[in-house]
Amino acid sequence: MNERKYKKIYEKLKCVEDINRISKAYSVNTGAISNILHQKTVRNVRKYHSRIVNKAPALVRSWKRGDTILKLASKNNFPPVLLASIMLKEMGYKSKTVVKNPDVLEDKRLRYELIKAIEVDFCFSPRAHSVQSGQGRMGEDLIHEWLEHCDLEFITESDMSKEPNTKTPDFLLSEPYKVDGIDVRWIESKAVFADEKEHNRYQLKQFSFYEDLYGPGMEQGGYRNMELNDFLKEKGTDEKLSQLIMLFSEQAGVIKEGFLSARGAADTKNVYGETQMALDKWADEVLIDALRESRLVRWIATEEQPDIIEVDGAINQFGVTIDPLDGSSLIDVNLAVGTIVGLYPGHVLEPGNTMVGALYILYGPLTTLTYTTGTGVHEFVMGEDGRFTLMQENLTIPDGKIYAPGALRKDYLPYHKQFIEKLESEGYKLRFSGSFVADVHQILHKGGLFTYPAFAGKDSGKLRLLFEGTPMGKMVVEAGGAISNGRGNLLDVKPSSVSDRTPIYVGGKREIALIESLVKGSGT
Ligand code: FDP
């Protein structure tokens, strides 16, 4: 961002409520805008702090006459928690203790107003501090990853803190690394760029200390909520594919709205003869309409439509497979459901390993979007404004002992029975919610295995290859796991029609190897 733009934003930003509007008006991500607001707040505090301290008796008098803490904070253009703590001190309280635990206050009104102040103060409240330290950790993780990626040897602050030396940078490099012609010896991660004065203070005190000890170093900072579109750009994702992923992310909020308005079962049946829930139809319509209007894809196959749709005037050749609302039988009991999407470079009746990406949106206590385009699996969370910000980058499936087995036990085929009994004997815990997307999401995070197998009378199981198997399979495989139909990699299977069903085993490589060997050994 150039200096002129920065100054304009700085001038216009007054409070947290301005962030979204200014972010849209200046096409700058909300993270950067909230950074600027943070800087402005810090600067104001420095400028007016002693004035507010001197005014403390008058502030307390106004409060006693009925003015609220929030009103006084806004009148004085001062962060509410800081103002409250100055007032609390004036009233004879230990302000630090009280701000950390407002429940100790006996005065009900004071307690209520302090809690309100803590809720809205994005800069000086304990909650804001924990968000900032989370960002600091995120910055350190990024630097850590980058150093490893560049094969640079280093020791971290925590390694060094075992030594008697008290002040240490976050990373100390074993060999100097050249940045802009300077031999960098250490790196410090800062969560928020403070204003210039604050920065200079740091440089003078902390950084000059490191410099004396180790030589020149480097500061990295400003880690804030990374939004999905910025992340896609940063990852160098194909622009057209990014547009498509963004389009799905934008429909998540619309689909969520339908949760309130479109409840109950509709009286129509889908192509598999199942009664459709009203919300399935709603989500299906929302997604098809948005895709048709955008013309971003040529082919649309959805679980709710009997035929593949060809979009008039499509500007790209992409094909998409969509399960608009997986786990729909759980909607009426308010459990997690999700939208699953497979992204193909062209027509969708192709093996899953030709996919250019996949994503799923999970509507749980949080609404999350997890995607892959072949460069890792990344997870985002939806904020109140409907935008998705980075929650976890480069997800990898851990070793875990969870199993989620679909189908009735009485219908298990012998090799499958043997498989499940083996897992049980090894102490795997059963976790099956009945929502494929939510169950596989859990496995992706905690390790283990999901299966909906072939069973007595149903060689191809229950789940759909195109709408459930391949997109979630692509995700798990990209995260270091595997997917199989029991005989081999499910992503190698070429579908014969959109309605193909398949047995599914998806999860850790160890579990998949085990079932494949049991199927092979069974000679079936
Ligand atoms: P649902 O019928 O609720 O849409 O394929 C759909 C699916 O749910 C999966 O999400 C889930 O894993 C499976 O069916 C559950 O089937 P069972 O009812 O046989 O357990």
Side-chain angles (χ1 to χ4, degrees):
M1 175 184 333
N2 65 33
E3 208 181 328
R4 247 183 83 217
K5 194 168 182 178
Y6 175 89
K7 280 191 174 153
K8 269 199 172 159
I9 295 174
Y10 190 96
E11 208 176 282
K12 294 223 154 108
L13 256 178
K14 301 268 185 279
C15 58
V16 176
E17 283 71 39
D18 295 338
I19 291 177
N20 281 332
R21 186 176 45 80
I22 292 185
S23 149
K24 276 191 191 137
Y26 288 86
S27 309
V28 173
N29 71 56
T30 50
I33 304 283
S34 47
N35 248 348
I36 299 174
L37 181 60
H38 196 281
Q39 292 167 2
K40 191 166 173 172
T41 312
V42 170
R43 194 173 203 179
N44 270 348
V45 166
R46 188 167 304 108
K47 211 163 152 193
Y48 300 118
H49 190 261
S50 47
R51 193 193 288 181
I52 298 291
V53 172
N54 292 337
K55 257 177 99 173
L59 288 169
V60 173
R61 278 198 301 277
S62 304
W63 181 78
K64 284 187 175 154
R65 279 198 303 269
D67 273 350
T68 64
I69 291 176
L70 286 184
K71 194 168 168 199
L72 290 168
S74 120
K75 239 188 197 165
N76 287 280
N77 195 14
F78 210 69
V81 171
L82 216 49
L83 185 106
S85 70
I86 291 170
M87 285 171 59
L88 285 164
K89 220 180 210 167
E90 178 64 26
M91 292 176 187
Y93 292 102
K94 281 192 171 157
S95 58
K96 264 195 189 154
T97 322
V98 175
V99 169
K100 269 193 197 143
N101 184 12
D103 287 341
V104 299
L105 281 173
E106 275 180 14
D107 185 320
K108 266 191 190 164
R109 183 185 152 213
L110 192 54
R111 185 168 66 223
Y112 172 79
E113 290 191 19
L114 180 60
I115 292 171
K116 283 268 151 237
I118 290 171
E119 274 168 15
V120 299
D121 193 325
F122 86 109
C123 197
F124 286 93
S125 65
R127 200 177 55 156
H129 284 155
S130 85
V131 169
Q132 279 162 29
S133 52
Q135 284 158 359
R137 275 195 304 277
M138 177 168 150
E140 282 176 33
D141 289 349
L142 285 173
I143 295 172
H144 206 280
E145 241 175 63
W146 175 75
L147 289 170
E148 278 181 346
H149 174 79
C150 300
D151 269 341
L152 294 171
E153 269 185 41
F154 59 90
I155 45 174
T156 63
E157 185 178 13
S158 54
D159 299 332
M160 280 181 280
S161 60
K162 288 169 202 141
E163 318 250 321
N165 220 343
T166 46
K167 283 184 199 156
T168 44
D170 292 330
F171 299 90
L172 186 62
L173 307 184
S174 309
E175 295 289 328
Y177 182 74
K178 267 226 179 334
V179 177
D180 292 338
I182 296 171
D183 280 336
V184 166
R185 298 301 307 250
W186 51 267
I187 304 177
E188 180 75 8
S189 160
K190 284 273 161 271
V192 175
F193 279 128
D195 68 5
E196 221 176 302
K197 216 165 166 187
E198 171 94 334
H199 198 204
N200 288 344
R201 206 168 60 90
Y202 256 108
Q203 275 190 329
L204 272 177
K205 276 177 114 181
Q206 189 183 12
F207 297 167
S208 64
F209 183 85
Y210 301 156
E211 216 157 86
D212 287 348
L213 271 180
Y214 311 112
M218 171 165 97
E219 181 200 11
Q220 284 293 309
Y223 306 100
R224 275 266 175 186
N225 305 335
M226 168 80 90
E227 287 190 10
L228 179 59
N229 54 345
D230 294 323
F231 187 82
L232 288 163
K233 243 183 245 161
E234 198 182 278
K235 284 267 158 198
T237 317
D238 172 74
E239 214 174 295
K240 292 171 180 168
L241 196 54
S242 300
Q243 283 174 352
L244 192 50
I245 293 171
M246 287 309 295
L247 181 127
F248 279 105
S249 79
E250 283 152 17
Q251 302 319 307
V254 185
I255 292 174
K256 269 194 81 173
E257 268 172 36
F259 287 21
L260 284 173
S261 55
R263 297 175 59 197
D267 52 6
T268 53
K269 296 201 168 195
N270 70 6
V271 63
Y272 308 100
E274 300 158 332
T275 301
Q276 284 175 288
M277 306 296 285
L279 209 50
D280 293 24
K281 293 176 71 182
W282 159 268
D284 194 44
E285 260 176 49
V286 166
L287 294 170
I288 293 175
D289 288 354
L291 286 166
R292 274 208 162 109
E293 201 179 308
S294 72
R295 297 186 292 127
L296 286 176
V297 302
R298 179 161 172 204
W299 309 103
I300 308 172
T302 91
E303 203 185 66
E304 304 302 331
Q305 303 292 329
D307 301 312
I308 296 175
I309 300 169
E310 185 168 5
V311 175
D312 281 344
I315 50 177
N316 304 318
Q317 289 303 311
F318 293 126
V320 287
T321 59
I322 307 173
D323 184 347
L325 219 45
D326 180 66
S328 50
S329 62
L330 300 182
I331 292 165
D332 54 352
V333 290
N334 193 29
L335 289 184
V337 294
T339 301
I340 307 175
V341 180
L343 305 165
Y344 290 77
H347 202 275
V348 298
L349 284 184
E350 294 297 335
N353 57 28
T354 65
M355 296 169 100
V356 286
L359 66 92
Y360 65 88
I361 299 164
L362 188 67
Y363 311 98
L366 295 173
T367 298
T368 57
L369 182 152
T370 311
Y371 88 89
T372 182
T373 54
T375 53
V377 177
H378 315 295
E379 192 169 302
F380 293 77
V381 61
M382 189 164 100
E384 276 174 21
D385 57 1
R387 297 179 189 221
F388 283 89
T389 50
L390 183 62
M391 205 153 96
Q392 208 176 330
E393 189 177 353
N394 292 320
L395 268 170
T396 51
I397 181 168
D399 290 336
K401 287 201 164 175
I402 286 181
Y403 75 123
L408 298 180
R409 192 173 269 262
K410 72 174 180 57
D411 294 333
Y412 283 178
L413 300 177
Y415 63 81
H416 185 74
K417 185 167 179 275
Q418 214 184 332
F419 175 59
I420 295 295
E421 281 171 358
K422 174 106 174 76
L423 296 184
E424 285 168 347
S425 71
E426 288 179 14
Y428 278 62
K429 278 191 187 167
L430 187 137
R431 294 282 186 273
F432 184 79
S433 77
S435 162
F436 171 71
V437 61
D439 288 330
V440 177
H441 174 82
Q442 177 165 211
I443 299 295
L444 186 62
H445 278 272
K446 297 189 176 167
L449 171 112
F450 173 95
T451 171
Y452 209 115
F455 54 93
K458 271 273 166 72
D459 287 353
S460 46
K462 175 183 180 188
L463 302 185
R464 287 86 186 182
L465 173 65
L466 271 177
F467 303 113
E468 285 155 327
T470 39
M472 293 307 277
K474 165 98 180 157
M475 203 78 68
V476 173
V477 167
E478 288 292 336
I483 186 161
S484 174
N485 54 11
R487 295 170 196 285
N489 186 348
L490 194 73
L491 299 183
D492 290 338
V493 176
K494 185 167 164 74
S496 55
S497 81
V498 282
S499 52
D500 283 4
R501 292 177 192 261
T502 177
I504 289 181
Y505 294 87
V506 59
K509 281 184 173 152
R510 195 187 81 84
E511 290 83 355
I512 302 302
L514 175 62
I515 182 61
E516 286 186 349
S517 74
L518 288 172
V519 173
K520 208 169 173 190
S522 73
T524 50

